[in-house]
Structure formats: C-alpha cells, structure tokens
Amino acid sequence: MRRLGTILVLGALSLSLLSGCGDKTGYAKDGFAEGRLGDTMHTYFFDFTVNSAYLCDTYEGYTPIMEGYQLLVADVTVKNTNRESIPMYDTDFQVQWSDDSEDAYDVPITYYTDAVSDQQLPTEYELAVDEERTGLLVFEVPAGETDFSISYLELFDDGTEEGEKGDTFFVYFTAEAQA
C-alpha cells in the first residue's frame, strides 16, 4: 500500500511539473508577448492569430496612396474570450517594419479609405462572447520591406481619454510577394 501511495504522489508531482513547463508563446510576461505566424496571442479581452501574410502591389483594385509603398495583406483570426461582448476596430492592430525611424508603423488602410473587399475585417464591429471572426487587414508598407510585426496594445478604461495601458502583443514574420 505504501508503494502505491508513493507511485500516486510521484505521478501527481510529474503531472504538475509538466503542466508548468508548457509552451507560453502568446502569453504576456512583464508587459510583453511575442509570437510568429500561426501562434495564438492571448490578450485580456480576446485571442488573436495572424494566420498568414503576403505582399502585393494592388489588392482588389486598390493601390497604395503613398509613392514607394506596397500592400501587406494579413489574414487574422480574432476570438472573444471575455465574459461579455466587446467592441472591436480593425485599427486595434498596427503593423511595424524594420526601419529604425519613429514612424515605421501604420494602421489598416480603412483608416484612410473605405474597405475594398468584403474579406477585410470591418472597420468597427461587435464581437459576441465566444465569437470568432477571420478576415483580412490590409496595410500600406514601404516597398522593399519584408520583415514585419503586427501588434495589439491592451487599453483599459480608467476614466481618462488615453486609458491605462496594459500588455503589448507582437507577431513577427517575413512576408513574400504573392505570385
């Protein structure tokens, strides 16, 4: 009987050690989380995954407004993990590239113009409890850039216009031109 008790204790200890050593990709630590294409990022409000991304000169007839730019088209899935519906905006996400300047980022093109495809995530939408939505985010990025990150910054309502900043989530990837 004593031997069976020892085996059960060792088994329970092994399971608890294994569960503590799992992959923590996508979970924030010290205010920051990072992942790669296909990794699920776990924010306070929702989970999101950048499924794929590619570069192109034109998308559904839309060409970049700025000279010397190309389009980055990212397929993104967002799932509400909160206990209530949440308002979402495609501009909750921004893209960054490897340029060291302070303005090496942008928001989706819908900030400047209407959506050009029904495959794009809506500019603004309500995400119901447990609802999952997949769509495209289209960004203008400098031609020649191939290394990017798409990020999300948690903001909490604290009564101020800016809100209280929470964790920041980055998904890093290299995008190639669509054939």
Side-chain angles (χ1 to χ4, degrees):
M1 188 62 154
R2 181 180 219 175
R3 186 172 166 177
L4 179 60
T6 303
I7 290 172
L8 289 175
V9 168
L10 287 174
L13 220 114
S14 296
L15 284 176
S16 68
L17 287 174
L18 287 174
S19 66
C21 297
D23 183 14
K24 297 296 183 190
T25 300
Y27 289 94
K29 181 177 180 185
D30 298 327
F32 175 81
E34 70 175 57
R36 304 295 185 260
L37 287 179
D39 290 342
T40 300
M41 308 305 288
H42 307 280
T43 78
Y44 180 84
F45 305 103
F46 57 86
D47 288 350
F48 76 95
T49 306
V50 179
N51 304 305
S52 63
Y54 65 89
L55 296 165
C56 58
D57 293 327
T58 184
Y59 176 75
E60 295 291 324
Y62 179 86
T63 56
I65 295 170
M66 296 180 59
E67 183 144 343
Y69 275 62
Q70 60 191 346
L71 298 175
L72 173 69
V73 180
D75 181 83
V76 178
T77 300
V78 183
K79 180 176 182 179
N80 183 350
T81 57
N82 207 341
R83 293 178 285 175
E84 56 190 41
S85 295
I86 54 175
M88 294 292 299
Y89 305 88
D90 64 348
T91 55
D92 287 337
F93 299 96
Q94 73 176 31
V95 66
Q96 295 78 219
W97 48 88
S98 58
D99 184 349
D100 289 331
S101 67
E102 287 184 26
D103 59 346
Y105 70 93
D106 206 354
V107 293
I109 63 170
T110 52
Y111 184 78
Y112 311 106
T113 187
D114 293 331
V116 295
S117 165
D118 60 0
Q119 294 179 351
Q120 289 175 261
L121 284 174
T123 304
E124 182 177 346
Y125 56 101
E126 191 83 8
L127 200 59
V129 175
D130 287 330
E131 181 182 1
E132 180 176 285
R133 191 177 278 211
T134 298
L136 301 178
L137 296 173
V138 181
F139 301 94
E140 290 193 17
V141 297
E145 290 288 342
T146 57
D147 294 329
F148 301 97
S149 63
I150 291 179
S151 65
Y152 169 75
L153 168 65
E154 294 172 334
L155 287 175
F156 297 91
D157 185 3
D158 65 354
T160 66
E161 190 174 324
E162 303 83 33
E164 181 182 343
K165 291 181 180 178
D167 297 325
T168 306
F169 299 81
F170 290 91
V171 175
Y172 295 96
F173 57 92
T174 299
E176 295 185 17
Q178 183 182 36

